[in-house]
Amino acid sequence: MTDALLLVDDWGPEKIVVVSHRRTGMKGVLVIDNTARGIGKGGTRMSPNVSVEEVARLARVMTWKWASVDLFYGGAKAGVVADPSSPDKEAILRAFARALSNEVPREYVMGLDMGLTEDDAAIVQDELGDRGAAVGTPEHLGGVAYDKLGVTGYGVAEAADAAAEFLGRPLAGARIAIQGFGAVGNAAARRFAELGATVVAVSTAKGALHDPAGLDVPTLLAAREEHGDDFVNRHPEGTPIPSGRELTVDCDILVPAALQDVIDEDNAPDIKARLVVEGANLPTSPRAQEILARRGVTVLPDFVANAGGVVAAAFAMDSRYSGFRPETPAIFETISGRLRANAVAVLEEAGRRDTTPHTAGRTLAEERVRTAMRSKGRIPR
């Protein structure tokens, strides 16, 4: 078991709250990492495998993500140890929200992550009687429909386009492999196709599909709508390949958009892409980043590439108590502008410092957080 005190460093966490409820069997954790730049904001996930250490890592990613896009919220994350398919899901979620009523929404605003839906965000608001308790509610309740709009995947493709242009490898005609074809992966594929790229591989938990000549994205999207994750085994085009093989197919850009730690020291030497754009949180291990850097493979960090969701969340945060829904065109325009600019800034900084984009991007984010901590007297001036 992780000693929570060992997770504390110069940045945080500021608070770790572990909660439980005997009657429902609810167990959960909230990690508020750093609030120097604003109230804690990050998604809440539900999984049987949630751990304090995992949530703390993700909360730290949120600290850097908010700072990297220069939006004034702090890093935080929460997790519930439960199966999201459980018939007791609502009771567990309500117990979790009640247990955190001292922190929500005064110190932390819940959002959506793995295992939770828009209706779950509405349940949190209902349980606490506060529209400010959660974002990510359904459109008919005034929420920003992240998954329907595909804001995170859209931002991934925009960041990739800017990075490819900066590296002198235009996105038009580039071959893209995408691990994960959920909300992020399918939206990214759609935008990649619009930008003129060729998607050569996609994957789900059921397997992967590969075609060196390119897969038809609209057909893939329709197949996923009809068959769910199993579309990779039912699709008439392309060749089914085992899950994980999509990471090492011949391509120009690789987008890991599923789970964390999927690119490690074992498979990093086999990555053929020259640009890796992190659509998921923490998909590339530190050791893998070193290996890829030595091989001349550029890795655009998660806190830059997949920050489209946090930009949309900032709009949702601002509108929590408003009677007006945020304007969709403004959300997409801001995502494109911020992520493209940040991708170039991080790659330029990496070149100046002769370091990896992860290190360069984190350095820029750290400087912003450190400045805020100093102004508030949290560290010596």
Side-chain angles (χ1 to χ4, degrees), residues 55-306:
V55 175
R57 288 179 69 195
L58 294 168
R60 179 59 52 84
V61 170
M62 291 306 301
T63 295
W64 305 140
K65 194 176 293 188
W66 285 118
S68 71
V69 292
D70 203 18
L71 293 171
F72 295 96
Y73 295 106
K77 206 80 173 180
V80 186
V81 184
D83 184 343
S85 64
S86 167
D88 300 321
K89 180 182 183 181
E90 181 176 336
I92 292 170
L93 187 59
R94 287 184 181 275
F96 182 67
R98 287 196 305 273
L100 292 177
S101 59
N102 288 333
E103 288 76 23
V104 179
R106 186 171 62 89
E107 299 178 67
Y108 169 65
V109 176
M110 290 188 180
L112 302 181
D113 199 338
M114 181 174 65
L116 294 190
T117 69
E118 292 177 348
D119 285 344
D120 294 325
I123 286 170
V124 170
Q125 287 187 353
D126 181 65
E127 182 62 32
L128 297 182
D130 191 331
R131 285 182 61 189
V135 297
T137 53
E139 276 187 292
H140 58 263
L141 292 179
V144 175
Y146 304 116
D147 289 353
K148 179 180 177 181
L149 295 175
V151 290
T152 302
Y154 175 88
V156 167
E158 290 289 303
D161 187 26
E165 184 177 346
F166 177 84
L167 296 170
R169 306 172 188 141
L171 190 67
R175 298 164 301 156
I176 316 290
I178 303 174
Q179 183 189 54
F181 209 65
V184 177
N186 79 72
R190 182 184 296 111
R191 184 57 177 160
F192 277 127
E194 292 171 352
L195 293 170
T198 300
V199 176
V200 298
V202 298
S203 73
T204 72
K206 299 287 188 178
L209 198 62
H210 177 228
D211 186 344
L215 298 162
D216 183 77
V217 172
T219 303
L220 288 178
L221 296 173
R224 176 181 179 270
E225 185 69 24
E226 181 178 358
H227 301 296
D229 283 354
D230 199 39
F231 81 89
V232 293
N233 296 310
R234 295 169 174 260
H235 195 61
E237 300 177 10
T239 302
I241 57 176
S243 292
R245 186 78 60 80
E246 71 282 359
L247 294 171
T248 58
V249 300
D250 191 17
C251 63
D252 302 302
I253 300 174
L254 172 64
V255 180
L259 303 171
Q260 61 194 51
D261 298 323
V262 294
I263 301 178
D264 54 26
E265 60 184 307
D266 293 328
N267 59 16
D270 299 322
I271 300 293
K272 297 178 180 62
R274 307 313 298 167
L275 172 62
V276 176
V277 180
E278 296 188 322
N281 288 326
L282 304 170
T284 311
S285 73
R287 178 68 180 135
Q289 291 167 26
E290 295 173 3
I291 294 171
L292 292 171
R294 285 201 304 269
R295 297 181 55 226
V297 179
T298 301
V299 181
L300 194 65
D302 49 1
F303 53 83
V304 174
N306 71 14

